[in-house]
Amino acid sequence: MIGKLKGLIDSYGEDFLILDVNGVGYVVHCSGRTLQRLPRPGEAAALAIETQVREDSIKLFGFASEAEREWFRLLQTVQGVGSKVALGILSILSTAELGTAIATQDKSMVARASGVGPKLAARIVAELKDKGPAFGAVDPVVAKLAGEDEGAGAPSAVRDAVSALVNLGYGRPQAAAAVAASVKVLGEGAETGALIRQGLKELAKVS
């Protein structure tokens, strides 16, 4: 089994690259995010590798980080998620975004990926909750604000800003993420109105 490859980028395809390792060209399938982060042909690259052996084929999947590889494995434990869908999800969401989406049960965020309908997205967030990699970087502020306690213990301005965005029609996970981002921009002492305005700006970035 191959766990890591290091070599020179030979060429790129739509969803794969050919990595030249001491004169041997390996076809490695990658997420769109990973392909975008890799250097130009002729330059060196190293990838964590997942090897999948089937009756009729052997495929190599490459990842920019161990976290991305772990999420790739974990996603495929959900019925209806194969390697293609898993790569599609990892092409749309970073590992941190995926971890946050699952921690906050944000089905709509996962459903943005190609091949993922509402039912499959709901199954993914339900089955993978509390199973994500330890290094899957979930924003604790977002998880707290979007949790069942609806942000109990958070400053009142923060709770009020989240509620205001929810009343405007945004889902609680999206509102919580926007307000958490706003707090980072404006500081913990920001007032409700300022958090709402900044929250709307944050939401506009991802709409």
Side-chain angles (χ1 to χ4, degrees):
M1 301 293 282
I2 299 173
K4 181 180 180 180
L5 285 175
K6 184 177 182 180
L8 300 177
I9 301 291
D10 180 87
S11 58
Y12 286 102
E14 184 177 352
D15 63 350
F16 68 90
L17 61 89
I18 296 178
L19 190 66
D20 186 332
V21 182
N22 297 323
V24 178
Y26 291 89
V27 177
V28 184
H29 298 270
C30 302
S31 70
R33 279 179 172 269
T34 292
L35 290 174
Q36 290 172 8
R37 293 172 60 182
L38 292 173
R40 294 174 297 180
E43 297 185 4
L47 292 167
I49 299 294
E50 176 75 2
T51 306
Q52 287 192 351
V53 180
R54 300 287 187 262
E55 290 184 2
D56 58 347
S57 67
I58 298 176
K59 279 190 174 183
L60 302 180
F61 297 89
F63 307 94
S65 67
E66 292 292 336
E68 188 186 19
R69 180 168 64 179
E70 289 304 310
W71 274 116
F72 177 74
R73 292 171 174 171
L74 194 60
L75 284 165
Q76 291 179 86
T77 65
V78 179
Q79 182 181 0
V81 179
S83 58
K84 185 175 181 179
V85 170
L87 283 184
I89 293 171
L90 292 168
S91 294
I92 294 295
L93 303 175
S94 68
T95 55
E97 290 169 337
L98 179 56
T100 299
I102 290 174
T104 58
Q105 297 291 280
D106 189 348
K107 301 182 291 292
S108 61
M109 197 169 181
V110 178
R112 290 165 48 197
S114 176
V116 181
K119 290 184 178 179
L120 182 55
R123 189 184 308 141
I124 290 169
V125 299
E127 292 188 15
L128 298 187
K129 188 174 184 181
D130 303 323
K131 294 183 180 179
F135 40 80
V138 177
D139 189 328
V141 177
V142 176
K144 183 176 182 180
L145 289 174
E148 293 180 359
D149 61 359
E150 298 191 348
S156 59
V158 171
R159 296 198 306 272
D160 291 345
V162 172
S163 295
L165 294 178
V166 170
N167 290 336
L168 289 173
Y170 294 100
R172 175 163 288 277
Q174 291 94 336
V179 173
S182 300
V183 170
K184 292 179 181 179
V185 173
L186 302 175
E188 295 183 1
E191 297 182 351
T192 301
L195 289 173
I196 293 171
R197 289 190 293 274
Q198 183 64 34
L200 290 170
K201 292 180 183 178
E202 297 294 334
L203 288 164
K205 294 178 183 179
V206 297
S207 62

